[in-house]
Amino acid sequence: MSYPEAVILPLDMISEQLAMVDLFLSMFYGEGEIIVSDPAALDALREHVDSGDIPADASLPTSIDLELNIEVAPAHILELHMRIPFIRTQVGRTSTQGAFDADEPPKPVYSLRCPSWLTRKEHAELVATMPIADPDGVLGVVQYLKDTALTPLATADADVPHNNTTTTAAVQVSKKQPQPTEPLVRVWFYLQSLSTRSKRLDLVNWAPSYSLTGFVLAGKPGILCLEGTSADISAYMSEIKTRSWSDVPAYQKKVSERCREEGKEVVRKFVDMREVTDEIGKGGKRGNRGEMAEVRALFESVGLEDMFEVVVGFGGGGG
């Protein structure tokens, strides 16, 4: 997948984004309540804003990530991740988040980690209705999460028979355990091009929340392999497209499902989710994936050599 050219925001908009970060830090000041991904980069940005100038050769972050830990009930924490952009993609007059306004800085991009006390379905419903366009910004999102995330907890508590032999907490934990009845599948996605590093990191970092394993291979073509349940894979891809790719034009979000492996013989071949781009050589122009023999070797290393031709579309010997 290819992405539009990105440009750094003007100084006044960077200042607005920094002011928003500072507001968050002042509102959520409890120990461990908010975590900044790169405090040094944040300080460097502040220095540029204070000096009133950004040198042409300055190395600036494209965004700052914040992790907000929201306590919705005792011992029940939600991890809300916010990405504050300092760049804007040149996508024309409209974007997937609504009308494109050149006079306003980009909105924060939200993602929500799935906690152990919510089912995947409950988490997906919570994410799908999260009010990212709320005029109150992050305050509206936080209040929504506090109000809405309690509903499954209250429902679980109402279902518990109150007697002396079974505690509410024990039954709630039992109800939230993932059920092993849904079969494991392995799904292969084909992306004509995948290059932007932040998008690749999201593909890797968000997978554990959905109990997914597999790999990401950037380049032309890009390949995404996911192992997990069908429901978890669907919820994960939905969040990737609506959150991580929220600044990408709709026509560039197309992902082709090349193959879906199903059945009792399907078992996990990967222990985690990782990016393998640096393990594969590049050849051809503009980073086109040229060393197909190395891609084939990757498939063979986990016993999936039969899937190489199906996924990549190359037959015969490697090369």
Side-chain angles (χ1 to χ4, degrees):
M1 179 177 296
S2 59
Y3 296 94
E5 180 183 357
V7 295
I8 193 73
L9 295 177
L11 197 62
D12 60 332
M13 287 191 183
I14 292 179
S15 180
E16 287 185 51
Q17 299 294 72
L18 288 177
M20 179 165 51
V21 172
D22 289 337
L23 177 62
F24 295 160
L25 294 176
S26 65
M27 291 191 306
F28 307 105
Y29 52 83
E31 183 177 358
E33 194 171 9
I34 192 168
I35 300 171
V36 181
S37 63
D38 193 343
L42 196 59
D43 292 340
L45 276 172
R46 287 197 180 99
E47 290 180 6
H48 288 305
V49 170
D50 291 343
S51 69
D53 180 55
I54 299 180
D57 60 348
S59 178
L60 300 178
T62 59
S63 63
I64 290 291
D65 290 342
L66 305 176
E67 178 185 313
L68 183 59
N69 295 298
I70 306 168
E71 185 175 12
V72 298
H76 291 79
I77 304 294
L78 283 177
E79 293 182 23
L80 178 66
H81 294 257
M82 297 178 288
R83 174 165 294 162
I84 313 299
F86 295 107
I87 59 172
R88 168 168 281 148
T89 52
Q90 302 303 290
V91 298
R93 302 182 65 181
T94 60
S95 75
T96 56
Q97 289 184 323
F100 180 89
D101 190 346
D103 297 326
E104 295 291 333
K107 301 293 185 183
V109 177
Y110 301 95
S111 65
L112 185 69
R113 184 176 293 275
C114 183
S116 60
W117 44 270
L118 282 180
T119 66
R120 300 295 175 188
K121 180 180 179 181
E122 290 165 350
H123 172 258
E125 292 173 349
L126 198 61
V127 169
T129 53
M130 198 159 61
I132 59 175
D134 193 296
D136 290 331
V138 69
L139 289 179
V141 173
V142 170
Q143 191 58 52
Y144 158 82
L145 292 175
K146 286 184 174 181
D147 294 340
T148 311
L150 291 175
T151 303
L153 296 179
T155 302
D157 185 56
D159 292 341
V160 174
H162 294 281
N163 53 51
N164 294 328
T165 60
T166 305
T167 66
T168 297
V171 175
Q172 284 182 350
V173 169
S174 176
K175 287 172 68 66
K176 300 303 177 184
Q177 288 296 325
Q179 300 300 311
T181 54
E182 189 170 356
L184 180 77
V185 298
R186 183 181 303 107
V187 185
W188 300 88
F189 295 98
Y190 182 93
L191 301 85
Q192 185 175 358
S193 177
L194 176 65
S195 56
T196 305
R197 181 164 181 79
S198 62
K199 312 297 185 187
R200 289 147 47 189
L201 288 175
D202 287 343
L203 287 168
V204 173
N205 294 336
W206 295 6
S209 295
Y210 293 90
S211 301
L212 302 180
T213 54
F215 71 85
V216 178
L217 174 62
K220 299 179 182 180
I223 298 172
L224 174 63
C225 172
L226 297 175
E227 299 174 326
T229 67
S230 292
D232 287 342
I233 290 174
S234 296
Y236 163 84
M237 291 302 297
S238 176
E239 184 175 12
I240 286 293
K241 291 179 180 180
T242 58
R243 307 297 181 205
S244 178
W245 297 352
S246 63
D247 59 339
V248 179
Y251 71 90
Q252 291 188 345
K253 292 183 180 182
K254 185 177 180 181
V255 177
S256 300
E257 182 177 315
R258 298 285 286 187
C259 179
R260 180 177 292 253
E261 298 179 73
E262 301 175 301
K264 294 181 179 180
E265 69 278 4
V266 177
V267 295
R268 290 189 189 269
K269 297 290 188 176
F270 302 92
V271 297
D272 56 13
M273 187 70 180
R274 62 192 178 102
E275 182 175 359
V276 298
T277 307
D278 292 339
E279 301 173 22
I280 307 297
K282 293 181 180 179
K285 297 181 179 179
R286 297 183 179 178
N288 292 345
R289 190 61 56 192
E291 298 298 330
M292 299 311 295
E294 295 182 22
V295 179
R296 179 186 290 275
L298 170 65
F299 280 62
E300 293 175 347
S301 68
V302 292
L304 295 173
E305 56 271 15
D306 292 344
M307 297 305 302
F308 177 78
E309 184 176 349
V310 176
V311 176
V312 181
F314 282 78

Coordinates of all heavy atoms in Angstrom, one line a residue, residues 217 223 280 291-309 312-319:
L217 N 5.4 -8.1 6.2 CA 6.5 -8.0 5.2 C 6.2 -6.7 4.4 O 5.3 -6.7 3.6 CB 6.7 -9.2 4.3 CG 7.7 -9.1 3.2 CD1 9.1 -8.8 3.8 CD2 7.7 -10.3 2.4
I223 N 3.0 -8.2 2.4 CA 2.3 -9.4 2.8 C 2.0 -9.3 4.3 O 2.9 -8.9 5.1 CB 3.2 -10.7 2.6 CG1 3.4 -10.8 1.1 CG2 2.4 -11.9 3.1 CD1 4.4 -11.9 0.7
I280 N 14.6 -9.6 4.8 CA 14.5 -9.9 3.4 C 15.2 -8.9 2.6 O 15.0 -7.7 2.8 CB 13.0 -10.0 3.0 CG1 12.2 -11.0 3.8 CG2 12.9 -10.4 1.5 CD1 12.7 -12.4 3.7
E291 N 14.2 -10.1 -3.8 CA 14.8 -11.4 -3.4 C 13.7 -12.4 -3.0 O 13.5 -12.7 -1.9 CB 15.7 -11.1 -2.3 CG 16.9 -10.2 -2.6 CD 17.8 -10.8 -3.7 OE1 17.9 -12.1 -3.8 OE2 18.4 -10.1 -4.5
M292 N 13.0 -12.9 -4.1 CA 11.9 -13.8 -3.8 C 12.3 -15.1 -3.2 O 11.6 -15.8 -2.5 CB 11.0 -14.0 -5.0 CG 10.4 -12.7 -5.6 SD 9.5 -11.7 -4.4 CE 8.2 -12.8 -3.9
A293 N 13.6 -15.4 -3.5 CA 14.1 -16.7 -2.9 C 14.2 -16.6 -1.3 O 13.9 -17.5 -0.6 CB 15.5 -16.9 -3.4
E294 N 14.5 -15.3 -0.8 CA 14.5 -15.1 0.6 C 13.1 -15.2 1.2 O 12.9 -15.6 2.3 CB 15.2 -13.8 0.9 CG 16.6 -13.8 0.5 CD 17.3 -12.5 0.9 OE1 16.8 -11.8 1.8 OE2 18.3 -12.1 0.3
V295 N 12.1 -14.7 0.4 CA 10.7 -14.7 0.9 C 10.3 -16.2 0.9 O 9.6 -16.6 1.9 CB 9.8 -13.9 -0.1 CG1 8.4 -14.0 0.4 CG2 10.2 -12.5 -0.1
R296 N 10.7 -17.0 -0.1 CA 10.3 -18.4 -0.1 C 11.0 -19.1 1.1 O 10.3 -19.9 1.7 CB 10.8 -19.0 -1.4 CG 10.6 -20.5 -1.5 CD 11.2 -21.2 -2.7 NE 10.5 -20.8 -3.9 CZ 9.4 -21.4 -4.4 NH1 8.9 -22.4 -3.8 NH2 8.9 -20.9 -5.5
A297 N 12.2 -18.7 1.4 CA 12.9 -19.4 2.5 C 12.2 -19.1 3.9 O 12.2 -19.9 4.8 CB 14.4 -18.9 2.6
L298 N 11.6 -17.8 3.9 CA 10.9 -17.5 5.1 C 9.7 -18.4 5.3 O 9.4 -18.9 6.4 CB 10.4 -16.0 5.0 CG 9.4 -15.6 6.1 CD1 10.0 -15.6 7.5 CD2 8.8 -14.2 5.8
F299 N 8.9 -18.7 4.2 CA 7.8 -19.6 4.3 C 8.2 -21.0 4.6 O 7.6 -21.7 5.4 CB 7.1 -19.6 2.9 CG 6.2 -18.4 2.6 CD1 6.6 -17.1 2.6 CD2 4.8 -18.6 2.4 CE1 5.8 -16.1 2.4 CE2 3.9 -17.6 2.2 CZ 4.4 -16.3 2.2
E300 N 9.3 -21.4 4.0 CA 9.8 -22.8 4.3 C 10.3 -22.9 5.7 O 10.2 -24.0 6.3 CB 11.0 -23.1 3.3 CG 10.6 -23.2 1.9 CD 11.8 -23.4 0.9 OE1 12.9 -23.2 1.4 OE2 11.5 -23.7 -0.2
S301 N 10.8 -21.9 6.3 CA 11.4 -22.0 7.7 C 10.3 -22.3 8.7 O 10.6 -22.8 9.8 CB 12.1 -20.7 8.1 OG 11.1 -19.6 8.2
V302 N 9.0 -22.1 8.4 CA 8.0 -22.4 9.4 C 7.0 -23.5 8.8 O 5.9 -23.7 9.3 CB 7.1 -21.1 9.7 CG1 8.0 -20.2 10.5 CG2 6.6 -20.5 8.5
G303 N 7.5 -24.2 7.7 CA 6.7 -25.3 7.2 C 5.6 -24.9 6.4 O 4.6 -25.6 6.2
L304 N 5.6 -23.7 5.8 CA 4.5 -23.2 5.0 C 4.9 -23.0 3.5 O 4.4 -22.1 2.8 CB 4.0 -21.9 5.5 CG 3.3 -21.9 6.9 CD1 3.0 -20.5 7.5 CD2 2.1 -22.8 6.9
E305 N 5.8 -23.8 3.0 CA 6.3 -23.6 1.7 C 5.2 -23.8 0.6 O 5.3 -23.2 -0.5 CB 7.5 -24.6 1.4 CG 7.2 -26.0 1.6 CD 7.4 -26.5 3.0 OE1 7.6 -25.6 3.9 OE2 7.5 -27.7 3.3
D306 N 4.2 -24.6 0.9 CA 3.1 -24.8 0.0 C 2.3 -23.6 -0.2 O 1.6 -23.5 -1.2 CB 2.2 -26.0 0.5 CG 2.9 -27.3 0.5 OD1 3.9 -27.4 -0.2 OD2 2.4 -28.2 1.1
M307 N 2.4 -22.6 0.7 CA 1.6 -21.4 0.6 C 2.3 -20.3 -0.2 O 1.7 -19.3 -0.5 CB 1.3 -20.9 2.0 CG 0.4 -21.8 2.8 SD -1.1 -22.3 2.0 CE -1.9 -20.7 1.8
F308 N 3.6 -20.5 -0.5 CA 4.3 -19.4 -1.2 C 3.7 -19.0 -2.5 O 3.4 -17.9 -2.7 CB 5.8 -19.9 -1.4 CG 6.6 -18.9 -2.1 CD1 7.1 -17.8 -1.5 CD2 6.9 -19.1 -3.5 CE1 7.9 -16.8 -2.1 CE2 7.6 -18.1 -4.2 CZ 8.2 -17.0 -3.5
E309 N 3.4 -20.0 -3.4 CA 2.9 -19.7 -4.7 C 1.5 -19.1 -4.6 O 1.1 -18.2 -5.3 CB 2.9 -20.9 -5.6 CG 2.4 -20.7 -7.0 CD 2.5 -21.9 -7.8 OE1 3.1 -22.9 -7.4 OE2 1.9 -21.9 -9.0
V312 N 2.1 -15.3 -2.8 CA 2.9 -14.4 -3.5 C 2.7 -14.4 -5.0 O 2.8 -13.4 -5.7 CB 4.5 -14.7 -3.3 CG1 5.3 -13.7 -4.0 CG2 4.7 -14.6 -1.8
G313 N 2.2 -15.6 -5.5 CA 1.9 -15.7 -6.9 C 3.1 -16.0 -7.8 O 3.1 -15.8 -9.0
F314 N 4.2 -16.5 -7.2 CA 5.4 -16.9 -7.9 C 5.5 -18.4 -7.8 O 5.5 -19.0 -6.8 CB 6.7 -16.3 -7.3 CG 6.9 -14.9 -7.7 CD1 6.2 -13.9 -7.1 CD2 7.8 -14.6 -8.7 CE1 6.3 -12.6 -7.4 CE2 8.0 -13.2 -9.0 CZ 7.3 -12.2 -8.4
G315 N 5.6 -19.1 -9.0 CA 5.8 -20.5 -9.0 C 7.2 -20.9 -9.3 O 8.1 -20.0 -9.5
G316 N 7.5 -22.2 -9.4 CA 8.8 -22.6 -9.8 C 9.8 -22.5 -8.7 O 9.5 -22.3 -7.6
G317 N 11.0 -22.4 -9.1 CA 12.1 -22.3 -8.1 C 12.2 -20.9 -7.6 O 11.7 -19.9 -8.2
G318 N 13.0 -20.7 -6.6 CA 13.2 -19.4 -6.0 C 14.0 -18.5 -6.8 O 14.7 -19.0 -7.7
G319 N 14.0 -17.2 -6.6 CA 14.8 -16.3 -7.3 C 14.1 -15.1 -7.8 O 12.9 -14.9 -7.7

